[in-house]
């Protein structure tokens, strides 16, 4: 069994980006610039945004942060987005999800200029991804593709089972694994909460990608020997022994499943750090498009 080490790999990627940014600056160019909009003060969202800003500092990007009250109206939020759409100094930005219930998430995503949508959530970018055109890929599936590529995990001709069909993980993941390229060329089965006898599919899978958010859902008796496991799930579960009072749990019963796996991602330290690094790669793509 080999670990797909997202911490090690994301550090390598961030160092590559850092060197590139240094070379841009040596050539007298400005640094790439990423923005983040946070609505409200949800603890997890705050941490995600803080980490994104920290990553920008590490690689030498400029960053901007806009923290808005959770009472802001949808119209006011969209007006802020328009301002950032029109800001020539900003290469790309994200609106941290989830948003307060009174705000229509679709309307907000649609308001972002697709050329600045470094989360890759805008329908235009999603469509381009599905058509295998160059675009911003959603960061989590992008990070998994990068991980499979850099660890040289074979995917062509393999049967990949994805559990979960969300717009940010499961569905784009299934599209990317079926694309004509490497990684990709997998035969993909996408499963969800209405799938009957899910284990029937996972038992036959060469690669299982879990993105459902149910701690330790995937058990050892649901997979075959030699399976590749990518665990996207991150759920906070109570842990009185931890200073924070919780720990992060994946969707996979790691201790038992690892005995059968050829490759496996840990949680934490697998997909999460890769997701962070891919947002930087998307920002770099936006910057390079702007500086052609
Ligand atoms: P989501 O929007 O809640 O989607 C969950 C998906 O799982 C849905 O498609 C749902 O099916 C399916 N599902 C739920 N229970 C199931 C069951 N018992 N059997 C089969 N399918 C089931 O979640 P998400 O945003 O995709 O996130 C999934 C997990 O990944 C969460 O733990 C999240 O925190 C984590 N995550 C991690 C990262 C990272 O960087 N590591 C990034 C994003 C998300 P239906 O469609 O039928 O409801």
């Amino acid at each position: 069994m080999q670990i797909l080490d997202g911490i090690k790999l994301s550090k390598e990627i961030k160092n590559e980006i850092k060197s590139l940014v240094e070379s841009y600056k040596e050539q007298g160019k400005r640094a790439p610039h990423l923005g983040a909009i946070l609505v409200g003060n949800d603890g997890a969202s705050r941490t995600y945004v803080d980490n994104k800003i920290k990553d920008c500092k590490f690689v030498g990007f400029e960053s901007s942060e806009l923290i808005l009250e959770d009472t802001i109206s949808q119209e006011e939020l969209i007006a802020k987005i328009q301002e950032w759409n029109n800001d020539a100094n900003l290469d790309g930005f994200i609106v941290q999800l989830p948003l307060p219930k009174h705000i229509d998430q679709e309307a907000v995503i649609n308001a972002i200029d697709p050329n600045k949508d470094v989360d890759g959530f805008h329908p235009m970018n999603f469509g381009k991804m599905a058509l295998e055109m160059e675009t911003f890929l959603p960061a989590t599936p992008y990070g998994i593709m990068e991980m499979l590529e850099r660890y040289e995990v074979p995917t062509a001709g393999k049967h990949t089972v994805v559990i979960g069909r969300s717009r940010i993980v499961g569905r784009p993941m299934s599209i990317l694994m079926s694309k004509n390229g490497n990684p990709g060329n997998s035969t993909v089965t996408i499963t969800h909460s209405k799938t009957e006898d899910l284990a029937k599919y996972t038992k036959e899978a060469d690669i299982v990608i879990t993105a459902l958010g149910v701690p330790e859902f995937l058990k050892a008796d649901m997979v075959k020997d030699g399976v590749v496991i990518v665990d996207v799930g991150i759920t906070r579960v109570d842990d009185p022994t931890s200073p924070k009072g919780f720990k992060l749990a994946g969707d996979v019963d790691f201790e038992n499943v690892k005995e059968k796996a050829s490759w496996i991602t840990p949680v934490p330290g697998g997909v999460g750090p890769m997701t962070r690094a891919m947002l930087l790669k998307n920002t770099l793509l936006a910057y390079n498009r702007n500086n052609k």
Side-chain angles (χ1 to χ4, degrees):
M1 182 274 301
Q2 295 188 63
I3 293 284
L4 294 166
D5 185 341
I7 295 179
K8 179 169 155 274
L9 207 52
S10 65
K11 270 190 195 145
E12 278 172 30
I13 294 167
K14 284 196 262 186
N15 280 323
E16 288 165 16
I17 297 173
K18 193 175 177 200
S19 303
L20 266 178
V21 175
E22 277 162 11
S23 73
Y24 296 151
K25 287 181 183 168
E26 278 163 20
Q27 293 163 41
K29 294 180 183 166
R30 68 170 178 84
H33 186 179
L34 173 70
I37 297 179
L38 175 66
V39 183
N41 52 12
D42 173 72
S45 293
R46 174 79 259 178
T47 306
Y48 290 138
V49 170
D50 286 349
N51 286 337
K52 286 166 189 175
I53 302 291
K54 206 158 78 183
D55 289 340
C56 283
K57 291 212 168 84
F58 177 80
V59 298
F61 283 8
E62 245 192 86
S63 59
S64 295
E65 197 182 2
L66 189 58
I67 301 171
L68 303 167
E69 295 290 325
D70 60 4
T71 50
I72 192 169
S73 71
Q74 184 171 312
E75 290 68 31
E76 287 169 313
L77 173 58
I78 288 179
K80 294 283 180 198
I81 289 173
Q82 303 291 8
E83 273 177 36
W84 275 19
N85 282 344
N86 295 325
D87 183 344
N89 289 316
L90 197 58
D91 295 295
F93 64 95
I94 63 117
V95 178
Q96 186 64 45
L97 302 178
L99 292 167
K101 289 207 166 30
H102 67 277
I103 296 177
D104 175 5
Q105 186 176 295
E106 290 303 317
V108 168
I109 291 172
N110 284 330
I112 299 172
D113 177 350
N115 293 313
K116 293 196 172 184
D117 166 44
V118 284
D119 258 340
F121 294 162
H122 191 284
M124 185 181 288
N125 288 322
F126 200 96
K128 282 186 170 178
M129 174 196 64
L131 295 169
E132 301 186 16
M133 295 163 72
E134 187 207 51
T135 189
F136 305 119
L137 301 177
T140 301
Y142 188 9
I144 294 169
M145 297 301 276
E146 189 85 11
M147 186 178 239
L148 295 172
E149 184 180 357
R150 291 192 184 221
Y151 273 101
E152 297 181 3
V153 177
T155 59
K158 304 296 178 190
H159 180 201
T160 295
V161 171
V162 179
I163 311 179
R165 57 177 165 184
S166 72
R167 67 183 288 160
I168 64 164
V169 192
R171 198 175 305 274
M173 198 64 243
S174 70
I175 293 169
L176 291 171
M177 287 301 279
S178 72
K179 81 178 166 70
N180 186 359
N182 179 51
N185 282 326
S186 253
T187 303
V188 178
T189 301
I190 180 161
T191 64
H192 43 77
S193 70
K194 308 290 186 295
T195 300
E196 287 180 12
D197 193 5
L198 194 140
K200 181 176 82 182
Y201 303 99
T202 54
K203 274 180 195 163
E204 286 176 359
D206 302 304
I207 301 169
V208 180
I209 302 175
T210 58
L212 63 159
V214 180
E216 301 197 357
F217 174 87
L218 192 79
K219 305 286 185 204
D221 63 1
M222 294 167 72
V223 296
K224 68 179 182 186
D225 281 324
V227 68
V228 176
I229 300 285
V230 177
D231 187 355
V232 184
I234 308 177
T235 307
R236 285 185 177 190
V237 293
D238 290 343
D239 180 8
T241 64
S242 145
K244 288 180 181 162
F246 68 86
K247 64 175 182 178
L248 298 179
D251 291 340
V252 176
D253 175 7
F254 183 86
E255 285 310 317
N256 294 308
V257 172
K258 78 175 183 351
E259 301 302 329
K260 292 176 95 173
S262 54
W263 299 89
I264 188 166
T265 59
V267 176
V271 174
M274 292 301 292
T275 299
R276 284 172 58 178
M278 292 306 108
L279 180 63
L280 300 172
K281 282 197 84 155
N282 276 340
T283 306
L284 205 55
L285 173 62
Y287 170 86
N288 284 320
R289 281 179 179 173
N290 289 336
N291 286 281
K292 265 192 182 147

